[in-house]
Amino acid sequence: MKNRFKLMSLLMGLGLIVTFSSCEDDDDPVVKEENGEASSLIITENVTANTTWTSDSVYVLGGRIAVEDGATLTIEPGTVIKGEAGTGASATALVVARGGQIMAEGTAEKPIIFTTVGDNIMPSDIEAGNIASPNMQPDVAGLWGGVIILGNAPISASNDAGDVTEINIEGIPSSDPNGLYGGNEAADNSGVFKYVSIRHGGSDIGEGNEINGLTLGGVGSGTTIENIEIVSNQDDGIEWFGGTVNVKNAVVWNVNDDGLDADQAWAGTVDNFMVITVAGHSFELDGPEGSMTNAGYTIKNGIVIANNDSRSSEDLINTDDNTSVAFDNIFFTGINENQINRVTHDIGTVSFQNIVLNVAEADLINHVNGEVVPDGVTAGTEPKSGVNVSAFDGWSWAAAAGATNYTGEGYEKEAVNVTVTENITENTTWSKNNVYILGGRIAVEAGATLTIEPGTVIKGESGTGASSKALVVARGAEIMAEGTEEAPIIFTSVGDDIMPSDIAAGNFASPNLEPDVSGLWGGVIILGSAPISASNDAGDVTEINIEGIPSSDPNGMYGGNDTEDNSGIFKYVSIRHGGSDIGEGNEINGLTLGGVGSGTAIENIEIVSNQDDGIEWFGGTVNVKNVVVWNVNDDGLDADQAWAGTVDNFMIVTVAGHSFELDGPEGSMTNAGYTIKNGVVIANNDSRTSEDLINTDDNTSVAFDNIFITGIGSNKINRTTHDVGTVSFSNIVLDVDAASLADHINDSDNVPAGITAGTAPATDIDSSVFGWTWANAADVLNY
């Protein structure tokens, strides 16, 4: 109690508001700091009853806090836990005692973060997708302790009296029963620990023992430990002391001792991992300390990026003489002069399979501490099998910092195919390290956000009608597909061999499909809550299902009254070879925009070889900028249902239908009109079409400005089926002789004002923004 009031006085002296709350099972108060965002709860007492830590608070460990036997600590996704500074008896750590449980189940969108009080990261940062510390570098270590989980699974330990089946974890005095681990229950369950990042720890807990990022003592196989990150720990990343627990998807980055450390006859597996820039051994692996038979453990499917770390002259793998471990499919790169130590153990207890060192073949022997290269160790530039580094994307600081990239000299990482067959119902990230296969009509449902990394490839399987493949961003959902000029996002067919590695190399064209192959899959449909003017048998409607998606599917609904509705960001995206029949005779447009609002950013879009239109708007207010439509089998740009936006800076090249198919309201809503400006149409005398260049219905309201049309053959501008007062032309130039200009107007006696003959646009069009497109690479944008 004395220490708590000292802490309270300190907080008050700093001008912080201090309040007290009490728990039903604990009369002692908990200090609560109100800091204008999440409150900080100072934890100074052990967890003795079932307790939940929530993401609307930051929990500050004011000492060595134990979740005691019989208690369960539940930690919500997105929660931040911070440790105060201290060493020895004052070291701060979270200890899950034997018989206690931790249910720390973060998510890829909301990881749980353990860090130091010196780290300014807050739950709101996680909520916003900002996973990195806002004020600390990822090489600052030893500022607090770490996380220790203890269980009842078997261990092989000894003390002065001989073999023991239970013992206190190093650094915690034997007088503390919460430090005891070991037993005989191989399937013991200490809870769930998923999507957790542990940072800046490793303070000295006592007796010269620095705390590992994550310590696992006698933890049983019933415990789930997956998607774990250790950043900048003063001691090891993860250390096992016996037990049987398995660990999957682990990244250890910038620790000042060993990456992965095992002792006391651990008998589990670590599967899919990365060890990056550690100062000690990548693997420090020991066998039993007592006489218990060692079942051995397995370390597989990993990448070690040593980055020629100047801190370390340690061996990459160090084992003692009774270690039993199987290594399988591990790739080492940036290893400098480091070696695999194979001289201090009986080689029969250690096996190597598919171990690849990124060194020259002739130099391989120099990286083995012995005169013989063991079987299973070879030189090469990539793993023998794929390692799923995308498992670390979106939630780990290492991935956000680019530390997990391992496309080193001579190496190209092949993407992993991920088939998507279920709708997206929660925030999800698609990584450039994968190719995503649309196995059906996949909807991003209301309330969910799909984030797509630059350079990602998405491919649709073939199919029509109910089996058509498309990506639908439902009303109320968001897509954050923000490619770049150097790394556009590509939607295409499974028949297209293009891969993320092609994009990374600057090769944006399909390596095997011609740019006139269409209808191989569906397309992309984005729906929103902006106004539309539609009707059905009952009259005017303000919302309706997009064509081809049955009315029974709520994900097809669009329309509303929010003109500034935001469906996300769609930039530097190329959509290719689509347009399969989605249903009721409706082929899918390359990009369909239904009721999409002006809060949505759509820029730098390419549609190549779609069976239906390039882009079609169904109402809405969204603006679109920098568009290329090339080789589509129907209309270039199509607008319906009183769209009220602008398309600015575009090129339409070789379309089989109208260049512009433009309609007004279907219902009685007043048509605000739309604007189409700053574009070039290259008709290329297309033999597929006798369609008019511009076709409008009798209630269309559209303003055309600064458009140059060339290669038009005998095509015409249709101006006879609408009230000419609703359509205006300004700086429209047709590349024909002045004497034949009237022949290209579907009312040859009346050439509208604003249309002239010429050989160039009235004002330059910025075609330089299309340098990232396949159309530019194919040299079809020249005019």
Side-chain angles (χ1 to χ4, degrees):
M1 207 55 167
K2 183 190 298 182
N3 289 338
R4 183 169 297 144
F5 282 113
K6 284 183 178 178
L7 176 61
M8 182 184 71
S9 300
L10 173 62
L11 293 173
M12 293 178 68
L14 293 173
L16 300 172
I17 300 172
V18 180
T19 62
F20 291 94
S21 61
S22 62
C23 298
E24 183 176 335
D25 300 314
D26 186 1
D27 293 332
D28 287 331
V30 176
V31 180
K32 181 176 182 181
E33 171 196 338
E34 301 290 354
N35 58 14
E37 191 178 350
S39 59
S40 288
L41 302 180
I42 314 298
I43 309 299
T44 60
E45 302 293 336
N46 289 346
V47 178
T48 59
N50 293 349
T51 300
T52 298
W53 289 355
T54 60
S55 60
D56 57 0
S57 295
V58 172
Y59 295 84
V60 178
L61 303 176
R64 188 173 70 237
I65 304 302
V67 182
E68 295 191 359
D69 182 9
T72 296
L73 173 62
T74 300
I75 304 179
E76 288 187 346
T79 302
V80 175
I81 302 96
K82 299 184 180 184
E84 293 181 348
T87 58
S90 298
T92 58
L94 181 67
V95 180
V96 181
R98 186 173 64 171
Q101 281 196 336
I102 186 166
M103 303 301 292
E105 194 163 2
T107 67
E109 295 74 30
K110 293 183 178 181
I112 294 164
I113 295 178
F114 287 83
T115 187
T116 167
V117 289
D119 188 343
N120 290 339
I121 197 164
M122 297 293 284
S124 58
D125 295 306
I126 301 174
E127 183 74 29
N130 302 321
I131 305 302
S133 166
N135 66 307
M136 301 194 72
Q137 295 302 310
D139 59 356
V140 178
L143 300 186
W144 69 293
V147 178
I148 300 170
I149 303 178
L150 307 175
N152 282 295
I155 64 173
S156 181
S158 63
N159 59 20
D160 294 341
D163 280 5
V164 294
T165 58
E166 61 180 22
I167 197 168
N168 261 51
I169 200 72
E170 60 182 25
I172 296 182
S174 58
S175 58
D176 185 349
N178 293 311
L180 203 58
Y181 69 100
N184 58 12
E185 188 176 343
D188 189 36
N189 183 357
S190 296
V192 177
F193 208 62
K194 294 176 75 171
Y195 290 104
V196 177
S197 180
I198 303 172
R199 308 169 175 185
H200 309 299
S203 62
D204 193 327
I205 196 169
E207 303 174 14
N209 292 310
E210 297 150 336
I211 305 178
N212 307 296
L214 176 61
T215 299
L216 302 170
V219 178
S221 61
T223 309
T224 300
I225 300 183
E226 298 179 5
N227 303 292
I228 303 301
E229 175 183 52
I230 311 297
V231 178
S232 196
N233 203 74
Q234 187 63 27
D235 199 22
D236 304 332
I238 303 176
E239 185 165 4
W240 293 261
F241 291 87
T244 55
V245 68
N246 303 309
V247 175
K248 185 176 182 180
N249 301 336
V251 57
V252 174
W253 176 35
N254 258 350
V255 304
N256 286 334
D257 202 351
D258 306 317
L260 303 179
D261 192 332
D263 306 272
Q264 298 179 349
W266 172 48
T269 295
V270 60
D271 182 10
N272 205 73
F273 65 89
M274 296 189 74
V275 174
I276 307 165
T277 318
V278 301
H281 306 291
S282 302
F283 306 98
E284 170 68 33
L285 306 175
D286 297 331
E289 293 177 2
S291 59
M292 185 182 89
T293 301
N294 187 357
Y297 40 93
T298 300
I299 298 175
K300 66 179 183 179
N301 301 322
I303 294 168
V304 174
I305 305 177
N307 286 339
N308 298 314
D309 194 340
S310 61
R311 296 177 298 174
S312 175
S313 60
E314 301 280 9
D315 296 324
L316 297 166
I317 299 174
N318 190 67
T319 59
D320 70 6
D321 59 5
N322 62 353
T323 301
S324 182
V325 56
F327 294 99
D328 183 20
N329 191 41
I330 300 173
F331 177 60
F332 293 85
T333 188
I335 62 179
N336 201 12
E337 298 177 356
N338 301 121
Q339 298 180 334
I340 293 175
N341 183 345
R342 57 160 297 247
V343 299
T344 60
H345 58 77
D346 175 358
I347 191 70
T349 65
V350 176
S351 67
F352 300 102
Q353 179 174 311
N354 300 318
I355 307 305
V356 180
L357 276 60
N358 190 8
V359 298
E361 181 71 35
D363 193 37
L364 181 61
I365 187 63
N366 296 323
H367 295 280
V368 180
N369 191 354
E371 297 179 357
V372 178
V373 176
D375 291 341
V377 177
T378 61
T381 57
E382 61 183 72
K384 292 292 186 181
S385 301
V387 177
N388 184 18
V389 299
S390 65
F392 311 121
D393 292 344
W395 66 272
S396 76
W397 188 2
T404 57
N405 295 334
Y406 64 105
T407 51
E409 182 179 354
Y411 181 71
E412 283 190 359
K413 175 165 51 70
E414 282 302 323
V416 177
N417 284 349
V418 176
T419 300
V420 183
T421 57
E422 301 291 337
N423 287 347
I424 296 166
T425 58
E426 60 183 17
N427 294 348
T428 301
T429 297
W430 287 357
S431 162
K432 64 183 177 182
N433 296 317
N434 296 326
V435 172
Y436 294 86
I437 310 296
L438 302 177
R441 188 174 69 234
I442 305 301
V444 184
E445 295 191 0
T449 297
L450 172 61
T451 300
I452 305 178
E453 289 186 347
T456 302
V457 175
I458 302 97
K459 298 183 179 182
E461 294 179 347
S462 61
T464 60
S467 298
S468 62
K469 312 303 187 289
L471 181 67
V472 180
V473 181
R475 185 174 64 173
E478 285 192 346
I479 186 167
M480 303 300 289
E482 195 164 2
T484 66
E485 287 184 89
E486 298 76 22
I489 294 164
I490 295 179
F491 287 83
T492 187
S493 159
V494 290
D496 189 344
D497 289 342
I498 197 165
M499 297 291 284
S501 57
D502 295 307
I503 299 174
N507 303 320
F508 301 154
S510 166
N512 66 306
L513 290 179
E514 295 298 320
D516 59 357
V517 178
S518 64
L520 301 185
W521 69 291
V524 178
I525 300 170
I526 303 177
L527 306 175
S529 294
I532 65 173
S533 181
S535 63
N536 58 21
D537 294 340
D540 280 6
V541 293
T542 58
E543 60 180 20
I544 197 169
N545 259 52
I546 200 71
E547 59 183 24
I549 296 183
S551 58
S552 59
D553 186 350
N555 294 311
M557 190 74 78
Y558 68 101
N561 57 14
D562 186 358
T563 59
E564 297 179 353
D565 189 37
N566 183 358
S567 296
I569 298 174
F570 208 64
K571 290 185 175 182
Y572 290 103
V573 178
S574 181
I575 304 172
R576 308 169 175 184
H577 309 298
S580 62
D581 192 328
I582 196 170
E584 303 175 12
N586 293 308
E587 296 149 340
I588 305 177
N589 308 295
L591 178 60
T592 299
L593 303 171
V596 178
S598 62
T600 310
I602 301 182
E603 299 178 7
N604 302 292
I605 305 299
E606 177 185 48
I607 312 295
V608 178
S609 196
N610 203 74
Q611 187 63 27
D612 199 22
D613 304 332
I615 301 177
E616 185 165 5
W617 292 262
F618 291 87
T621 54
V622 67
N623 302 309
V624 178
K625 185 176 182 180
N626 301 337
V627 174
V628 171
V629 175
W630 174 36
N631 256 353
V632 303
N633 286 332
D634 202 352
D635 307 316
L637 303 179
D638 192 333
D640 306 270
Q641 298 179 349
W643 173 47
T646 296
V647 60
D648 181 11
N649 206 71
F650 63 89
M651 296 190 74
I652 297 173
V653 185
T654 319
V655 300
H658 307 289
S659 300
F660 307 97
E661 171 69 32
L662 306 175
D663 297 331
E666 293 177 3
S668 59
M669 185 181 90
T670 301
N671 188 358
Y674 40 94
T675 300
I676 299 175
K677 66 180 183 178
N678 301 322
V680 173
V681 175
I682 304 175
N684 286 339
N685 298 311
D686 194 340
S687 61
R688 296 177 297 175
T689 181
S690 59
E691 301 279 11
D692 296 324
L693 297 165
I694 299 175
N695 188 66
T696 59
D697 70 6
D698 60 5
N699 62 352
T700 302
S701 181
V702 58
F704 294 99
D705 182 25
N706 192 38
I707 299 172
F708 178 60
I709 305 175
T710 186
I712 62 179
S714 60
N715 299 124
K716 298 179 179 182
I717 293 175
N718 181 343
R719 60 162 301 248
T720 61
T721 60
H722 58 77
D723 175 359
V724 75
T726 65
V727 177
S728 65
F729 299 101
S730 175
N731 299 316
I732 308 304
V733 180
L734 275 59
D735 189 8
V736 297
D737 293 335
S740 65
L741 180 62
D743 297 334
H744 294 281
I745 308 296
N746 193 357
D747 183 356
S748 58
D749 294 331
N750 188 1
V751 175
I755 299 179
T756 60
T759 58
T763 304
D764 285 341
I765 308 300
D766 185 8
S767 60
S768 67
V769 298
F770 305 126
W772 62 276
T773 63
W774 186 6
N776 180 72
D779 202 28
V780 299
L781 301 183
N782 295 323
Y783 61 95

